[in-house]
């Protein structure tokens, strides 16, 4: 018999499409196993401020298709303090919550690990971030939706770029990670992709533009926001100086990449992981992130999950070189 009788669920850090589907899966799985479930608003901030409410089947009706998070999310400075975490623990006790599912990214898991070590509350994490930069899952919740949003936006940009023979420099999210840029860049047939993981040689970019296909009227360069070249405006400045006769434009996609209805991939991933998280807590697991690796649900200790992926798939990098000719 499991000692877990009452699970709390929260979303924390940056929001990502599919978080609602994950909340729904956690709530429905808990009820399926006769476990009470409480929603915690605004991540750790709401845990500290006592924003807890009991959830039932209906609380998660009609949300699987919605972006954002019905539980809201926040970045909590107070949770980084011992007093803040003590208050959060006292609120959990007061509501009878004895385990947590925390949906978020590396910061959320770092906080969860400290909380477990201090109060021994079991926590299982779900990878809720558009960046796909956690170890222990092939894809994070929201990544597939985000790259599809980029692809839809850049396809539209390509239409106008083609009509005007323009060069577009498109900035996508990714302060430390080029995974959004890389996959979406391949998906839109970008001429060049600039990512933080690789040293940007601006002369190589110039060479590609100068000696690349002359018959292709439009050109798309995808730049991750954290690339060392300094983002899309900086790259555009350099390109304009070198090729003053190019009709160069910049588009920064920004927060549209976080929103929108999750793709079916993200909904299924969230559903699988939400159920797996509840089952893991009932089996007595804690301090781990649920992920899907090679099609199977796997659990990775938080301390390993938060080691950022620094190596990109060399096969994908080679694709860019071959296909952008
Ligand atoms: P994203 O990847 O989308 O940014 P994230 O989970 O990494 O998501 P953060 O803002 O880094 O987002 O972290 C979420 C919250 O986790 C923080 O606001 C804070 O409350 C908590 N947290 C992060 N680091 C720590 C820490 N060292 N100690 C305690 N709590 C922490």
């Amino acid at each position: 018999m499991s000692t877990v009788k009452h699970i709390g669920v929260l979303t924390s850090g940056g929001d990502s499409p599919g978080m609602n589907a994950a909340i729904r899966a956690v709530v429905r799985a808990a009820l399926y196993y006769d476990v009470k479930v409480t929603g915690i608003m605004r991540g750790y901030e709401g845990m500290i401020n006592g924003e807890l409410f009991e959830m039932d089947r209906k609380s998660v009706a009609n949300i699987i298709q919605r972006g954002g998070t019905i539980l809201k999310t926040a970045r909590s400075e107070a949770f980084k303090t011992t007093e803040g975490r003590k208050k959060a623990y006292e609120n959990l006790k007061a509501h009878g919550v004895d385990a947590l599912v925390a949906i978020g990214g590396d910061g959320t898991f770092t906080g969860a690990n400290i909380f477990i070590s201090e109060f021994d509350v079991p926590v299982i994490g779900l990878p809720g971030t558009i960046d796909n930069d956690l170890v222990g899952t092939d894809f994070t919740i929201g990544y597939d939706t985000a790259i599809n949003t980029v692809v839809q936006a850049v396809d539209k940009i390509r239409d106008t770029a083609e009509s005007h023979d323009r060069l577009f420099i498109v900035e996508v999210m990714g302060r430390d990670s080029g995974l959004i840029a890389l996959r979406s860049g391949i998906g839109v047939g970008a001429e060049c992709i600039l990512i933080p993981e690789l040293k940007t040689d601006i002369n190589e970019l110039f060479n590609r533009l100068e000696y690349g296909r002359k018959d292709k009227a439009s050109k798309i360069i995808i730049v991750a926001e954290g690339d060392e070249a300094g983002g899309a405006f900086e790259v555009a400045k350099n390109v304009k100086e070198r090729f003053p006769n190019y009709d160069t434009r910049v588009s920064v996609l920004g927060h549209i990449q976080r929103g929108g209805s999750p793709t079916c991939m993200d909904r299924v991933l969230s559903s699988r992981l939400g159920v797996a998280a509840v089952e893991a807590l009932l089996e007595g697991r804690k301090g781990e992130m649920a992920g899907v690796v090679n099609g199977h649900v796997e659990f990775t200790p938080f301390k390993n999950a938060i080691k950022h992926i620094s190596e990109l798939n060399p096969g994908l990098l080679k694709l860019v070189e071959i296909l952008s000719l």
Side-chain angles (χ1 to χ4, degrees), residues 12-14 44 75-76 79-80 85 104-108 110-111 114 129:
S12 162
Y44 295 134
R75 304 199 193 265
S76 172
F79 197 74
K80 293 183 179 168
R85 292 191 295 273
D106 55 351
T108 302
T110 304
I114 297 170
T129 167

Side-chain angles (χ1 to χ4, degrees), residues 179-300:
L179 290 167
I180 292 180
L182 182 59
R183 228 167 240 268
S184 61
I186 292 169
V188 299
E191 275 59 40
C192 206
I193 303 171
L194 306 181
I195 51 179
E197 291 87 344
L198 291 181
K199 206 172 157 37
T200 297
D201 181 348
I202 202 78
N203 288 316
E204 196 188 315
L205 171 68
F206 291 161
N207 283 343
R208 284 221 197 170
L209 292 176
E210 189 150 17
Y211 302 111
R213 276 177 55 185
K214 297 275 178 288
D215 57 330
K216 200 166 182 186
S218 68
K219 290 189 184 354
I220 303 281
I221 299 173
I222 302 281
V223 187
E225 61 181 326
D227 185 75
E228 65 171 7
F233 283 102
E234 198 56 33
V235 173
K237 202 176 104 204
N238 284 317
V239 170
K240 273 182 197 163
E241 276 168 16
R242 178 71 176 71
F243 301 104
N245 52 346
Y246 274 16
D247 192 357
T248 305
R249 299 295 154 105
V250 169
S251 181
V252 177
L253 298 188
H255 283 80
I256 65 160
Q257 292 160 89
R258 277 197 189 282
S261 182
T263 59
C264 186
M265 280 276 289
D266 271 326
R267 296 181 199 195
V268 174
L269 177 69
S270 305
S271 302
R272 285 183 82 185
L273 296 183
V275 173
V278 170
E279 291 175 344
L281 287 171
L282 297 181
E283 286 163 13
R285 305 185 82 114
K286 63 179 172 187
E288 295 175 312
M289 182 196 82
V292 168
V293 179
N294 293 330
H296 299 285
V297 173
E298 284 189 10
F299 293 89
T300 303

Side-chain angles (χ1 to χ4, degrees), residues 50-105:
E51 294 183 79
L52 286 75
F53 68 101
E54 194 172 334
M55 297 183 87
D56 59 20
R57 295 188 66 78
K58 278 173 73 182
S59 335
V60 290
N62 204 19
I63 64 165
I64 194 169
Q65 75 279 23
R66 284 169 56 190
T69 159
I70 59 161
L71 293 178
K72 310 239 180 206
T73 186
R75 304 199 193 265
S76 172
E77 283 309 309
F79 197 74
K80 293 183 179 168
T81 66
T82 319
E83 309 83 74
R85 292 191 295 273
K86 188 161 177 288
K87 222 166 150 201
Y89 175 67
E90 282 160 4
N91 279 328
L92 291 187
K93 284 293 262 185
H95 284 81
V97 175
D98 45 33
L100 286 176
V101 176
I103 309 166

